[in-house]
């Protein structure tokens, strides 16, 4: 006989994930996201810069000299370099570029994703596209962060691009000679114009690319642009960003290579004054810009497209098909 009291079966909640496990899962997801951004950015930078390395080297050689730039002269310089030093000499300095650009692009793209998230949370745009001003700020902060952390490598790359191979045998040799003969401070010569240039360059590049993707999604009804469309959007971003910051790029190169080319540039303004006085405003501060209008859009288009497609590929590998940016 019972006591007349029926006991209800005890129910356990099985579908509630413990808080520590949920936090650990979120942290693991965030780590994967950062790692994906770093890997995608590194690959994007390496592919883009290698594709345009001969044009990049030629542009730097004109930037740091007083020779007048033209398409014909650029072709002659490339051809003479090929005849005198061989085909692979057109990629001279590209190893230094890779040493710099891989961490630079990895940091820049990863930082951009993080800054977008931070600004999105701050302005209340979680999961949505940022408005124009935060979009520009995210790009500028990403470029500034990457430039600050990798600047000495950019100095080394510029030195290798404008000197004969007998002068510097390797990247390490450049560091040793500059440190010994010119002082460690030389590794940061041209740093200020770099930062001043990277703010509009990175800001406008990321802003333009993200804006074009947003406008495309609104008008086409497609969530994602095709690879050719991404290349086109990236090319527009590179064209606008590099045109806005080009004079500071010329100043930066002059200051970086002053030690080996017999010049002494002590500040941004004095460097600009010297260039304008000796070569004129347009022919001096915008020397090689037309080549940049060829090289820049190609490089930036390849870079943005490679980053996006690599991100999508990595997410599909991790989560299965159907999950895109």
């Amino acid at each position: 006989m019972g006591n007349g009291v029926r006991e209800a079966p005890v129910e356990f909640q099985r579908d509630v994930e413990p808080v520590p496990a949920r936090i650990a899962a979120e942290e693991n997801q965030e780590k994967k996201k950062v790692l994906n951004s770093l890997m995608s950015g590194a690959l994007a930078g390496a592919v883009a810069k290698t594709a345009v390395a001969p044009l990049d080297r030629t542009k730097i050689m004109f930037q740091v000299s007083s020779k007048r730039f033209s398409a014909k002269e650029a072709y002659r310089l490339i051809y003479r370099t090929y005849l005198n030093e061989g085909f692979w000499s057109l990629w001279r300095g590209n190893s230094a570029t890779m040493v710099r650009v891989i961490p630079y692009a990895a940091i820049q793209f990863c930082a951009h994703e993080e800054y977008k998230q931070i600004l999105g949370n701050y302005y209340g745009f979680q999961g949505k596209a940022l408005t124009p001003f935060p979009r520009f700020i995210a790009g500028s902060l990403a470029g500034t962060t990457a430039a600050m952390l990798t600047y000495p490598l950019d100095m080394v790359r510029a030195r290798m691009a404008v000197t004969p191979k007998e002068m510097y045998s390797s990247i390490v040799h450049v560091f040793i000679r500059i440190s010994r003969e010119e002082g460690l401070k030389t590794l940061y010569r041209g740093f200020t114009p770099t930062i001043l240039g990277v703010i509009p360059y990175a800001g406008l590049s990321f802003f333009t690319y993200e804006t074009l993707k947003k406008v495309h999604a609104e008008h086409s009804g497609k969530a994602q642009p095709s690879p050719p469309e991404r290349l086109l959007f990236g090319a527009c971003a590179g064209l606008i960003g590099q045109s806005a910051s080009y004079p500071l790029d010329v100043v930066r190169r002059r200051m970086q290579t002053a030690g080996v080319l017999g010049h002494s540039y002590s500040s941004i303004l004095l460097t600009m004054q010297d260039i304008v006085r000796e070569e004129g405003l347009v022919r001096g501060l915008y020397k090689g810009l037309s080549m940049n209008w060829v090289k820049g859009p190609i490089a930036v288009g390849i870079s943005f497209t490679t980053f996006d497609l690599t991100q999508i590929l990595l997410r599909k590998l991790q989560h299965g098909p159907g999950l895109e940016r």
Side-chain angles (χ1 to χ4, degrees):
M1 290 179 63
N3 56 10
V5 178
R6 296 180 63 186
E7 294 184 3
V10 178
E11 294 183 359
F12 295 95
Q13 287 185 311
R14 297 179 182 176
D15 57 343
V16 178
E17 189 179 4
V19 173
R22 188 169 68 249
I23 292 174
E26 289 174 357
E27 288 179 352
N28 189 47
Q29 194 66 27
E30 183 63 26
K31 286 178 183 177
K32 281 185 180 179
K33 179 186 167 189
V34 170
L35 185 60
N36 284 356
S37 295
L38 287 170
M39 291 171 60
S40 302
L43 182 62
V47 172
K49 280 296 185 181
T50 301
V52 298
L55 294 175
D56 212 19
R57 185 188 179 196
T58 304
K59 183 201 74 171
I60 292 173
M61 292 172 78
F62 272 102
Q63 283 182 329
V64 302
S65 74
S66 57
K67 292 179 182 177
R68 184 177 175 181
F69 176 84
S70 69
K72 184 184 286 187
E73 285 300 316
Y75 170 76
R76 284 177 179 170
L77 179 58
I78 292 172
Y79 188 62
R80 280 199 306 269
T81 303
Y82 162 69
L83 289 178
N84 297 332
E85 303 178 39
F87 178 74
W88 293 112
S89 68
L90 296 174
W91 275 265
R92 175 164 168 74
N94 196 51
S95 57
T97 299
M98 290 300 101
V99 171
R100 170 193 171 261
V101 83
I102 287 174
Y104 180 92
I107 292 168
Q108 180 176 239
F109 278 106
C110 182
H112 183 247
E113 294 297 305
E114 295 303 308
Y115 284 130
K116 279 201 305 183
Q117 184 173 322
I118 292 168
L119 290 169
N121 292 337
Y122 180 79
Y123 286 102
F125 298 124
Q126 294 93 333
K128 300 177 183 177
L130 295 174
T131 52
F133 181 68
R135 206 177 299 153
F136 175 82
I137 293 298
S140 295
L141 288 173
T144 302
T145 302
M148 289 175 65
L149 294 175
T150 63
Y151 185 77
L153 294 168
D154 188 46
M155 157 69 83
V156 169
R157 175 255 186 151
R159 285 291 181 94
M160 291 188 75
V162 301
T163 55
K165 57 186 177 182
E166 295 80 17
M167 187 167 184
Y168 297 119
S169 59
S170 66
I171 297 169
V172 175
H173 189 211
V174 183
F175 275 109
I176 292 172
R177 282 197 62 175
I178 290 177
S179 303
R180 185 184 300 155
E181 298 172 8
E182 302 174 55
L184 284 172
K185 202 162 79 169
T186 304
L187 291 171
Y188 281 88
R189 183 179 291 160
F191 179 72
T192 303
T194 297
I195 295 300
L196 292 177
V198 85
I199 290 171
Y201 169 67
L204 286 171
S205 295
F206 278 106
F207 168 82
T208 303
Y209 185 69
E210 295 286 327
T211 299
L212 289 173
K213 285 205 305 182
K214 182 174 181 290
V215 171
H216 173 271
E218 290 172 351
H219 286 80
S220 70
K222 295 191 294 184
Q224 297 297 325
S226 65
E229 287 169 335
R230 290 181 193 274
L231 280 170
L232 179 61
F233 298 162
C236 292
L239 189 65
I240 292 170
Q242 293 191 343
S243 297
S245 61
Y246 195 79
L248 286 165
D249 190 44
V250 174
V251 170
R252 169 176 62 126
R253 293 302 182 200
R254 291 292 180 96
M255 295 180 75
Q256 285 178 335
T257 58
V260 292
L261 296 178
H263 298 288
S264 57
Y265 298 120
S266 57
S267 69
I268 298 172
L269 287 177
L270 289 176
T271 304
M272 282 188 167
Q273 286 175 3
D274 286 347
I275 293 171
V276 172
R277 184 175 63 251
E278 294 172 9
E279 303 165 51
L281 178 63
V282 176
R283 291 178 182 173
L285 292 178
Y286 289 90
K287 181 186 293 181
L289 178 59
S290 56
M291 179 175 284
N292 235 41
W293 284 343
V294 176
K295 176 192 76 72
I298 294 172
V300 178
I302 291 173
S303 181
F304 277 124
T305 303
T306 303
F307 177 79
D308 276 357
L309 296 182
T310 306
Q311 283 275 80
I312 291 169
L313 176 62
L314 289 173
R315 289 174 182 176
K316 281 182 175 179
L317 291 174
Q318 291 171 358
H319 303 286
L323 185 63
E324 292 194 356
R325 185 184 172 91

